[in-house]
């Protein structure tokens, strides 16, 4: 087991198809627009995303995520935990703050083992 897996609080699942994810810095810089990202995986406490460029770890971000079959977006907050380009493609892990905004609604979509409800 890798050390990254040892530090996870909940298991990761492949992101459902057609997840819509928009990210922006919590305090956006004047010249930055929100990013529409591909979500790789999800867990109760975090998201794995593909980024167009590097983002500094410990950056606070604001997210809007729409799951398939859902009527509206969930508004979430999180912090970039890591960012790397292991295969030439920037990827980042975002630790969610479940105590803010729609964090409780996000967490409710997972079962007692931490798996996303189908």
């Amino acid at each position: 087991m890798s050390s990254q897996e040892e530090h996870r609080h909940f298991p990761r699942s492949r992101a459902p198809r057609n997840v819509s994810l928009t990210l922006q810095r919590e305090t956006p810089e004047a010249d930055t627009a929100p990013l529409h990202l591909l979500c790789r995986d999800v867990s109760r406490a975090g998201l794995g995303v593909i980024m167009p460029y590097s983002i500094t770890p410990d950056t606070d971000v604001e997210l809007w995520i729409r799951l398939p079959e859902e009527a509206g977006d969930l508004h979430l907050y999180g912090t970039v935990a890591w960012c790397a380009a292991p295969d030439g493609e920037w990827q980042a892990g975002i630790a969610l703050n479940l105590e803010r905004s729609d964090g409780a609604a996000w967490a409710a979509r997972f079962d007692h083992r931490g798996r996303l409800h189908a």
Side-chain angles (χ1 to χ4, degrees):
M1 179 183 296
S2 75
S3 62
Q4 185 178 17
E5 289 173 345
E6 291 169 6
H7 295 298
R8 290 193 173 143
H9 298 283
F10 298 97
R12 295 264 173 177
S13 302
R14 175 175 245 164
R17 293 176 55 126
N18 301 320
V19 169
S20 170
L21 177 67
T22 303
L23 174 145
Q24 77 175 30
R25 294 174 193 266
E26 191 171 336
T27 51
E29 298 168 359
D31 62 344
T32 59
L35 299 172
H36 301 283
L37 303 176
L38 177 61
C39 187
R40 296 181 60 237
D41 54 54
V42 298
S43 79
R44 183 178 183 275
L47 303 169
V49 298
I50 295 175
M51 298 286 297
Y53 50 78
S54 176
I55 187 167
T56 306
D58 295 323
T59 299
D60 291 326
V61 294
E62 198 169 352
L63 304 140
W64 292 266
I65 188 166
R66 179 170 296 173
L67 296 168
E69 313 295 324
E70 296 287 326
D73 293 348
L74 291 173
H75 181 212
L76 303 171
Y77 288 89
T79 302
V80 176
W82 60 270
C83 186
D87 299 316
E89 178 176 63
W90 286 106
Q91 300 175 24
I94 300 169
L96 297 174
N97 180 340
L98 299 176
E99 295 180 10
R100 293 181 69 186
S101 197
D102 292 330
W106 172 259
R109 285 166 167 71
F110 293 81
D111 66 20
H112 68 280
R113 290 175 299 205
R115 300 269 181 209
L116 185 64
H117 294 288

